[in-house]
């Protein structure tokens, strides 16, 4: 089995598909970093223009004032309890920035790598994984090499499972490289620090409303790790579904097309019929797992991280079972 | 040979990566779904009850409500009007001053409406002699950042909504207290240095319409701030470029005190 | 008795309600070179795909070295090397890497074996080039090499001489002969080049509309020689043939007598004709070719 997985990995490498994906990743990260740098500079300029003094020199005073202001809010008995936990973490963040001489308006490699993945998790990473996974089986079928692969003294299910394992490994590689690349590239712009800064996490969605009562701070490195772990989970789910399509469809471009249109179409669909109960069971609307960490609002109300993870797992398992049954029984006619 | 090295490299990266990502995934799940260990919550006395109990005849009750300016954001002490208003008023009355601030950062007209609708403030308002309201700054700021082309259109819609919310809010206040004096703070433009003519026109229109609405109530007064801030931005606006600073709060406080001086003496 | 290398028992296959292959029975022994012939669409490739387990028969059983393909797939396939249709390899890998891919899937294949098969197909010089740079003939050789990796008892080659030049074809023919004689390999070749099959195979089967219409040895076909005579008295000769040797002759409109001698010596027959006073203008030995048999059986169906 190990040797079969090795074969699959080497094939993907020599096919340059992995290289292509990492290349796209690099270009995009570079563009994102530059964009972020530009936005920050623009914001600073605006602030400077407005206040009349250079904002960059006074950020610590500003932060101190913000802390006082938040403390004032905490003392206010008319603030709902659920907001207070979030306020306390904000104080902690500001205090950390002051103590460590970090301008809160600026970015860092740590901040960038997690915010990049928060943006990439529902569209960009799935697209890369589709490019990788949709070729796994249909790539062999469209070139006819599947005939030589399936006439070895190896049972079909082993071929399938080894391809699936190879895909799981390649997905780790993509995620590991995206964290490495985003750190290396954004570090050039923002410096390589920022991994110990506290970040707000721990939002819950209860009854369709955001509950911030359990909000607490985690260090940036841990937050980034969680974001990439969720992205990996999304990659595995999208990978499994693309893998299934790749088993069902003989042509690589057709299976990439099917997956991409499903992904984009489903996302659009969820905006139009957000109140339709069925949409919450679509995998595309459940991809923004990092929103549960950062507390952003979901397009479909009434779903939480457990729900999303369960729905996504069900899709992945279902897709694997369909691939398995179909692949082990199908007639190869190419 | 190269292939073997590449393969083992990938296996090692994948193995370590997988373990780490799995740990991260577990953490993410427990943090955002599980019963995370919460920091000890600061227990606060229920102000609603205590206040109504401490109601005395020989006391002047002021309630401050609305947005971050009502709450005191930008002030070095974070207290804002609760600190400076009594200083300006204490010489003018023999009564004790009691100030309650229920302002919440980021509030818009719709938020004070729902705050009032919840009924939580009913007791407080019933006992109030003065109700200071600062609202609208967050409403108007949403269109200031918009492009010029659709500003006019969205401004009209926004203003209609704001005025109807404000009207409804005053109606609710009047259910609790018919005679309390409502003091409404007008909006100023903190972005004057980057503002266009259109922005200035909008904010003046906004203020004048609010003024009309406030003045339609027999016990309400509109206190402008626009003129006070206009040429004193560097002096009165805090480092965040948005809220009044300590000096700004002091200046607005004295203006409020002047506006209600006659009433304070008589009450 | 030895287990036959390949056994097909009543194999049928329906695809989308159409019967592609019907009731095929076939048994191949060790060291046999077998030609599987038939016009386009007769069901050759479908049959081969069933043998190697790519598709499942609707009905019937296939055994390779005694192992049922559908039940004991791994054991059955351990004895098979094959090329189905054209040899499609991974174009982005070198020839050597392609072989390594397949070699790693079978523990029995050693490094020595890999260089051995490269030698056998004469690919030493190009084996480290990318397959995308190969000609069809090179790919065909590489295809044979991968099929030989596991020293199969049954080698299945679908149109193996496609793309080979005449020298390559001769080389290939010798290789097949060698494999059958020296290694005792059973070779199952499907081909449309009938002359090829005739030169290479021990036995042939001709497939038409999904059934085997003729299964015979090549020797048998070749032995059934027909002689054509131009004689002064062909009617007398027909009688002589019938009375003396029991041979049925026939005469065409040009008064040419033709008959099959079934092992008799032509000189003896001619001497007897002369002895009987029949004038002999010429006698011509005409071999019955596979091509003729094929055309005869498939009745002008298109051959590709």
């Amino acid at each position: 089995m190990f040797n079969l997985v090795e074969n699959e990995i080497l094939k993907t490498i020599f096919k340059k598909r992995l290289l292509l994906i990492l290349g796209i990743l690099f270009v995009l990260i570079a563009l994102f970093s530059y964009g972020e740098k530009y936005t920050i500079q623009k914001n600073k300029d605006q602030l400077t223009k407005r206040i009349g003094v250079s904002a960059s020199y006074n950020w610590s005073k500003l932060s101190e004032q913000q802390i006082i202001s938040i403390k004032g809010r905490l003392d206010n008995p008319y603030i709902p309890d659920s907001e207070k936990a979030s306020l306390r973490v904000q104080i902690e963040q500001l205090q950390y920035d002051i103590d460590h001489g970090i301008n809160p308006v600026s970015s860092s490699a740590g901040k960038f790598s997690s915010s990049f993945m928060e943006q990439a998790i529902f569209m960009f990473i799935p697209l890369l994984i589709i490019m990788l996974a949709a070729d796994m089986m249909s790539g062999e079928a469209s070139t006819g090499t599947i005939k030589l692969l399936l006439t070895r003294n190896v049972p079909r299910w082993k071929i399938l499972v080894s391809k699936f394992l190879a895909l799981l490994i390649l997905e780790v590689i993509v995620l590991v490289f995206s964290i490495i690349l985003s750190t290396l590239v954004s570090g050039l712009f923002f410096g390589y620090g920022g991994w110990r800064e506290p970040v707000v996490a721990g939002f819950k969605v209860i009854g369709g409303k955001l509950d911030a009562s359990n909000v607490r701070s985690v260090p940036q490195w841990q937050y980034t790790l969680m974001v990439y772990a969720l992205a990996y989970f999304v990659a595995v789910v999208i990978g499994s579904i693309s893998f299934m399509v790749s088993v069902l469809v003989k042509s690589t471009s057709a299976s990439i097309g099917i997956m991409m249109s499903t992904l984009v179409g489903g996302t659009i669909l969820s905006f139009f019929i957000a109140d339709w109960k069925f949409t919450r069971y679509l995998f595309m609307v459940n991809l923004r797992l990092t929103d549960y960490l950062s507390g952003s609002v979901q397009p479909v109300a009434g779903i939480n991280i457990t729900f999303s993870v369960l729905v996504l797992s069900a899709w992945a398992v279902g897709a694997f079972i369909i691939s398995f049954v179909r692949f082990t029984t199908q007639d190869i006619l190419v | 040979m190269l292939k073997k090295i590449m393969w083992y490299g990938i296996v090692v990266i994948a193995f370590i990566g997988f373990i780490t990502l799995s740990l991260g995934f577990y953490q993410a799940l427990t943090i955002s779904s599980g019963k995370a260990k919460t920091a000890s919550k600061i227990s606060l006395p229920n102000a609603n009850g205590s206040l109504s109990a401490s109601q005395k005849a020989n006391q002047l009750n002021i309630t401050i409500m609305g947005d971050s300016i009502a709450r005191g954001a930008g002030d070095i002490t974070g207290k804002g009007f609760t600190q400076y208003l009594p200083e300006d008023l204490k010489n003018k009355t023999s009564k004790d001053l009691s100030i309650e601030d229920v302002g919440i950062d980021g509030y818009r007209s719709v938020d004070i409406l729902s705050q009032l609708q919840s009924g939580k403030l009913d007791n407080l308002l019933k006992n109030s002699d003065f109700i200071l309201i600062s609202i609208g700054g967050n409403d108007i700021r949403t269109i200031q950042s918009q492009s010029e082309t659709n500003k006019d259109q969205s401004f009209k819609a926004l203003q209609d909504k704001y005025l109807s919310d404000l009207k409804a809010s005053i109606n609710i206040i009047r259910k609790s207290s018919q005679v309390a004096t409502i003091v409404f703070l007008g909006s100023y433009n903190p972005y004057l240095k980057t503002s266009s003519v259109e922005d200035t026109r909008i904010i003046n229109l906004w203020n004048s319409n609010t003024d009309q609405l406030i003045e339609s109530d027999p016990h309400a007064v509109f206190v402008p701030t626009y003129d006070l801030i206009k040429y004193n931005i560097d002096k009165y606006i805090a480092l965040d470029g948005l809220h009044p600073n300590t000096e700004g709060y002091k200046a607005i406080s004295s203006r409020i005190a002047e506006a209600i001086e006659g009433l304070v003496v008589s009450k | 008795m030895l287990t036959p290398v390949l056994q097909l028992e009543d194999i049928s296959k329906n695809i989308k309600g159409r019967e592609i292959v019907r009731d095929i029975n076939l048994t191949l022994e060790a060291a046999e070179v077998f030609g599987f012939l038939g016009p386009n669409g007769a069901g050759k490739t479908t049959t081969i795909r069933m043998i190697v387990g790519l598709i499942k028969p609707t009905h019937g059983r296939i055994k390779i070295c005694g192992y049922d393909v559908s039940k004991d797939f791994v054991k059955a396939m351990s004895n098979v090397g094959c090329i189905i249709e054209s040899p499609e390899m991974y174009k982005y890998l070198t020839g050597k890497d392609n072989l390594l891919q397949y070699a790693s899937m079978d523990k029995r294949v050693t490094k020595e074996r890999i260089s051995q098969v490269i030698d056998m197909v004469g690919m030493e010089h190009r084996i480290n080039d990318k397959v995308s740079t190969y000609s069809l003939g090179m790919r065909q050789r590489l295809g044979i090499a991968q099929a030989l990796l596991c020293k199969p008892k049954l080698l299945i080659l679908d149109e193996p001489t496609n793309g080979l030049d005449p020298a390559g074809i001769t080389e290939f023919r010798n290789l097949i002969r060698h494999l059958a004689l020296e290694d005792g390999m059973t070779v199952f070749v499907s081909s449309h080049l009938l002359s090829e099959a005739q030169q290479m195979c021990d036995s042939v089967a001709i497939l038409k509309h999904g059934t085997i219409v003729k299964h015979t040895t090549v020797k048998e076909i070749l032995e059934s020689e027909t002689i054509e005579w131009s004689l002064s008295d062909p009617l007398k000769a027909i009688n002589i043939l019938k009375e003396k040797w029991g041979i049925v002759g026939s005469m065409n409109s040009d008064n040419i007598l033709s008959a099959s001698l079934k092992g008799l010596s032509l000189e003896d027959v001619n001497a007897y004709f002369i002895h009987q006073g029949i004038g002999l203008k010429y006698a011509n030995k005409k071999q019955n070719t596979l091509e003729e048999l094929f055309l005869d059986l498939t009745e002008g169906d298109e051959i590709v």
Side-chain angles (χ1 to χ4, degrees):
Chain A
M1 197 68 138
F2 202 62
N3 50 349
L4 295 181
V5 178
E6 177 182 356
N7 278 353
E8 295 304 328
I9 299 272
L10 289 179
K11 271 189 258 178
T12 325
I13 290 172
F14 282 105
K15 212 189 257 180
K16 310 244 162 63
R17 206 158 260 270
L18 188 62
L19 207 64
L20 174 73
I21 286 167
L22 296 182
I24 295 174
L25 202 57
F26 175 79
V27 170
L28 211 90
I29 287 170
L31 287 175
F32 260 54
S33 312
Y34 179 76
E36 177 126 335
K37 173 111 182 152
Y38 178 77
T39 314
I40 289 171
Q41 195 53 51
K42 208 173 125 195
N43 284 347
K44 275 185 185 167
D45 290 349
Q46 262 184 0
L47 206 64
T48 311
K49 203 171 156 195
R50 219 164 59 202
I51 303 172
V53 285
S54 180
S56 52
Y57 292 116
N58 288 297
W59 61 264
S60 68
K61 240 183 173 174
L62 183 66
S63 298
E64 268 165 22
Q65 241 182 52
Q66 278 174 334
I67 289 182
I68 292 164
S69 145
I70 294 170
K71 276 184 178 156
R73 284 171 78 183
L74 269 176
D75 292 340
N76 188 332
Y78 297 94
I79 284 185
D81 268 1
S82 59
E83 269 181 38
K84 284 185 178 157
S86 160
L87 289 177
R88 274 193 286 270
V89 176
Q90 279 180 37
I91 293 181
E92 199 182 327
Q93 271 179 314
L94 288 163
Q95 194 59 51
Y96 183 93
D97 288 346
I98 293 168
D99 294 348
H100 292 82
I102 298 157
N103 186 342
V105 193
S106 70
S107 194
S108 66
K111 268 187 202 167
F112 176 82
S113 55
S114 70
S115 69
F116 168 72
M117 194 42 82
E118 280 170 351
Q119 293 305 309
I121 190 169
F122 65 96
M123 196 53 85
F124 181 60
I125 288 292
L127 289 181
L128 291 186
I129 298 299
I130 288 170
M131 286 176 64
L132 196 65
D135 185 57
M136 283 311 260
M137 213 50 101
S138 41
E140 304 265 6
S142 55
T143 57
T145 45
I146 195 162
K147 289 180 289 187
L148 290 182
L149 198 62
L150 293 186
T151 51
R152 305 279 131 190
N153 58 340
V154 174
R156 276 196 198 183
W157 68 265
K158 270 195 183 176
I159 304 275
L160 181 98
V161 171
S162 63
K163 274 188 180 285
F164 193 79
L165 286 178
L167 183 59
L168 290 183
I169 290 175
L170 291 169
E171 284 157 356
V172 178
I173 300 295
V174 170
L175 263 299
V176 166
F177 268 89
S178 57
I179 196 167
I180 291 173
L181 286 176
S182 65
T183 304
L184 288 181
V185 175
S186 68
L188 289 176
F189 291 94
F190 313 120
Y192 291 96
W195 296 101
R196 285 156 172 275
E197 280 180 60
V199 183
V200 200
F203 291 92
K204 278 201 285 189
V205 184
I206 293 172
K209 280 191 172 172
L210 203 66
D211 173 22
S213 57
N214 281 331
V215 163
R216 56 175 168 166
S217 76
V218 293
Q220 178 70 57
W221 66 265
Q222 198 188 354
Y223 186 78
T224 308
L225 175 64
M226 291 194 292
V227 167
Y228 278 78
L230 291 175
Y232 178 63
F233 179 74
V234 166
V236 170
V237 173
I238 294 292
S240 312
I241 299 170
S242 314
F243 189 74
M244 172 186 78
V245 174
S246 148
V247 169
L248 300 178
V249 178
K250 301 278 171 294
S251 126
T252 303
S253 48
S255 54
I256 291 182
I258 288 171
M259 277 311 289
M260 285 198 178
S261 50
T262 312
L263 187 70
V264 176
T267 316
I268 296 170
L269 189 77
S270 74
F271 281 113
F272 278 114
I273 42 174
D275 47 352
W276 190 25
K277 242 186 161 181
F278 172 72
T279 48
R280 70 186 57 187
Y281 298 106
L282 296 173
F283 67 90
M284 316 76 144
V285 304
N286 286 297
L287 296 179
R288 307 180 77 140
L289 292 177
T290 48
D291 283 4
Y292 296 115
L293 277 185
S294 60
S296 317
V297 191
Q298 288 290 307
V300 178
I303 55 180
N304 56 32
I305 194 165
T306 323
F307 176 85
S308 290
V309 167
L310 283 178
V311 166
L312 292 177
S313 308
W315 275 89
V317 171
F320 183 76
I321 291 171
I322 291 173
S323 319
F324 193 94
V325 172
R326 172 74 182 154
F327 188 70
T328 48
T329 55
Q330 85 188 131
D331 282 350
I332 308 294
L333 294 167
V334 288
Chain B
M1 202 56 217
L2 183 70
K3 267 174 282 175
K4 278 287 166 199
I5 293 169
M6 201 146 69
W7 162 240
Y8 285 117
I10 281 176
V11 168
V12 170
I13 295 174
F15 184 74
I16 297 171
F18 185 78
I19 301 279
T20 322
L21 289 172
S22 304
L23 286 175
F25 185 65
Y26 175 76
Q27 271 180 348
L29 277 191
T30 46
I31 269 196
S32 45
S33 75
K35 292 116 213 112
K37 293 153 270 168
T38 30
S40 60
K41 282 173 187 156
I42 300 169
S43 55
L44 289 149
N46 191 340
N48 261 350
S50 63
L51 190 100
S52 57
S54 66
Q55 221 277 323
K56 288 173 200 163
N58 197 26
Q59 192 172 323
L60 205 59
N61 294 310
I62 300 172
T63 299
I64 303 173
M65 61 184 297
D67 54 22
S68 48
I69 296 175
R71 214 265 307 137
D75 180 23
I76 198 84
T77 64
K79 288 183 179 144
F81 296 125
T82 55
Q83 167 109 19
Y84 309 115
L85 207 49
E87 285 172 11
D88 288 326
L89 290 175
K90 66 186 172 199
N91 303 329
K92 296 172 175 119
T93 179
S94 56
K95 290 181 181 176
D96 289 339
L97 284 169
S98 163
I99 293 198
E100 198 64 42
D101 192 335
V102 299
I104 291 175
D105 292 18
Y107 260 30
R108 298 186 188 181
S109 56
V110 66
D111 298 310
I112 61 159
L113 181 58
S114 60
Q115 194 184 27
L116 286 163
Q117 277 166 344
S118 73
K120 280 181 186 167
L121 303 179
D122 288 357
N123 266 339
L124 194 65
L125 294 173
K126 199 159 67 187
N127 300 319
S128 297
D129 300 297
F130 292 97
I131 299 163
L132 174 61
I133 304 173
S134 167
I135 201 75
N138 293 316
D139 296 67
I140 200 166
R141 231 151 31 90
T142 57
I143 53 160
Q144 275 186 324
S145 54
Q146 276 179 9
S147 66
E148 296 290 332
T149 44
N150 51 8
K151 218 175 223 180
D152 205 44
Q153 192 80 37
S154 45
F155 170 70
K156 282 196 180 100
L158 188 82
Q159 184 180 245
D160 288 348
K161 177 82 175 73
Y162 157 78
L163 289 173
S164 79
D165 285 342
L166 188 58
K167 199 174 169 71
S169 301
I170 291 173
N171 287 340
I172 293 174
I173 294 172
R174 283 291 170 241
K175 275 179 199 154
S176 303
S177 168
Q178 279 80 31
V179 294
T181 306
I182 295 172
V183 181
F184 192 93
L185 280 186
S187 296
Y188 59 88
N189 185 2
Y191 304 145
L192 217 60
K193 288 183 180 171
T194 57
S195 284
S196 62
V197 181
E198 179 68 6
D199 288 329
T200 313
R201 193 183 72 82
I202 278 175
I203 204 153
N204 286 331
L205 205 58
W206 180 273
N207 274 332
S208 99
N209 286 328
T210 311
D211 192 3
Q212 271 180 30
L213 177 70
I214 296 297
E215 294 298 334
S216 67
D217 185 286
H219 301 288
V221 61
F222 179 87
V223 177
T225 56
Y226 182 83
D227 53 340
L228 190 65
I229 303 296
K230 185 169 182 180
Y231 293 115
N232 299 308
I233 282 191
D234 292 339
K235 193 174 163 199
Y236 287 155
I237 296 297
L239 282 172
D240 62 9
L242 181 63
H243 297 106
N245 58 15
T246 305
E247 291 306 312
Y249 276 106
K250 279 182 182 165
I252 299 171
S253 283
S254 68
R255 188 166 260 208
I256 294 167
E258 278 165 27
I260 61 173
E261 194 177 350
L263 284 174
V264 171
V265 173
S266 69
K267 265 191 184 172
Chain C
M1 191 190 136
L2 284 167
T3 323
V5 172
L6 177 67
Q7 260 179 303
L8 303 187
E9 296 171 7
D10 298 326
I11 295 301
S12 300
K13 177 71 186 178
N14 297 343
I15 295 176
K16 287 173 188 158
R18 229 166 57 90
E19 200 168 44
I20 309 288
V21 170
R22 181 160 33 97
D23 295 330
I24 289 191
N25 282 286
L26 190 65
T27 304
L28 299 186
E29 303 297 339
E32 188 173 342
V33 179
F34 170 76
F36 198 48
L37 311 171
N40 208 20
K44 280 178 298 178
T45 300
T46 305
T47 310
I48 292 177
R49 279 167 191 269
M50 282 192 279
I51 295 171
V52 297
L54 285 176
I55 61 181
K56 286 192 173 51
T58 314
H59 176 260
R61 260 200 316 177
I62 298 168
K63 282 183 176 177
I64 296 169
C65 298
Y67 298 111
D68 191 312
V69 171
S70 56
K71 286 180 194 136
D72 262 332
F73 179 79
V74 175
K75 280 182 183 163
M77 291 312 289
S78 299
N79 298 300
V80 180
C82 62
I83 306 177
I84 312 297
E85 287 179 315
S86 48
E88 283 120 348
M89 314 299 272
Y90 300 109
K91 287 199 174 69
Y92 46 87
L93 297 180
T94 64
K96 182 79 176 277
D97 283 337
N98 265 287
L99 292 182
L100 286 172
Q101 281 268 327
Y102 299 118
S104 74
M105 295 172 78
D106 191 331
K107 288 192 184 66
R108 298 169 298 172
V109 180
T110 59
K111 271 189 183 150
E112 290 71 36
R113 178 64 186 167
I114 297 172
S115 35
Q116 202 180 343
V117 293
I118 294 170
D119 259 9
M120 281 166 109
V121 296
M123 294 266 308
E124 307 86 343
H125 304 299
R126 295 292 306 277
I127 200 67
N128 286 320
D129 293 347
K130 284 247 167 69
V131 172
S132 52
T133 66
Y134 284 10
S135 65
L136 181 57
M138 295 298 285
R139 292 215 297 276
Q140 203 63 261
R141 284 161 193 257
L142 188 61
I144 294 164
Q146 65 78 26
L148 291 173
L149 273 175
C150 68
K151 290 187 186 164
K153 292 207 174 64
L154 174 63
L155 181 65
I156 298 176
L157 304 171
D158 201 357
E159 306 284 357
T161 51
N162 252 1
L164 292 182
D165 51 24
I169 291 175
T170 314
E171 218 178 296
F172 170 75
R173 199 189 303 141
N174 293 338
L175 174 66
I176 297 298
R177 277 272 152 232
H178 172 85
L179 289 170
L181 287 173
E182 303 292 317
D183 299 345
M185 220 175 258
T186 304
V187 186
F188 184 116
V189 186
S190 94
S191 181
H192 69 277
L193 288 176
L194 301 163
S195 57
E196 264 303 316
Q198 189 175 330
Q199 290 177 58
M200 200 157 55
C201 300
D202 299 320
S203 62
V204 292
I206 294 169
L207 198 64
K208 185 189 166 189
H209 298 319
T211 48
I212 291 178
V213 288
K214 177 98 180 171
H215 185 188
T216 178
T217 61
V218 172
K219 202 174 160 206
E220 212 171 292
I221 296 169
L222 296 180
E223 271 177 359
S224 58
E225 295 173 330
T226 307
I227 312 292
E228 289 178 340
W229 290 275
S230 183
L231 299 165
S232 58
D233 190 355
L235 289 172
K236 193 180 175 188
I238 287 178
N239 284 332
I240 290 167
L241 284 172
K242 190 161 189 178
E243 278 159 21
K244 190 160 173 69
W245 295 292
I247 293 168
V248 182
S250 63
M251 204 171 69
N252 68 8
S253 53
D254 293 333
N255 288 341
I256 302 289
L257 171 69
S258 58
S260 177
L261 290 183
K262 291 181 180 155
L264 279 176
S265 149
L266 180 59
E267 286 104 64
D268 291 352
V269 178
N270 285 348
Y272 193 72
F273 281 162
I274 292 161
H275 181 71
Q276 290 294 316
I278 301 170
L280 177 65
K281 283 181 195 153
Y282 77 83
N284 182 27
K285 197 187 255 184
K286 194 182 164 204
Q287 269 190 358
N288 228 339
T289 62
L290 196 51
E291 188 110 24
E292 275 169 21
L293 179 66
F294 186 85
L295 285 173
D296 216 24
L297 287 168
T298 56
E299 285 158 11
D301 276 351
E302 194 194 347
I303 308 161
V304 176

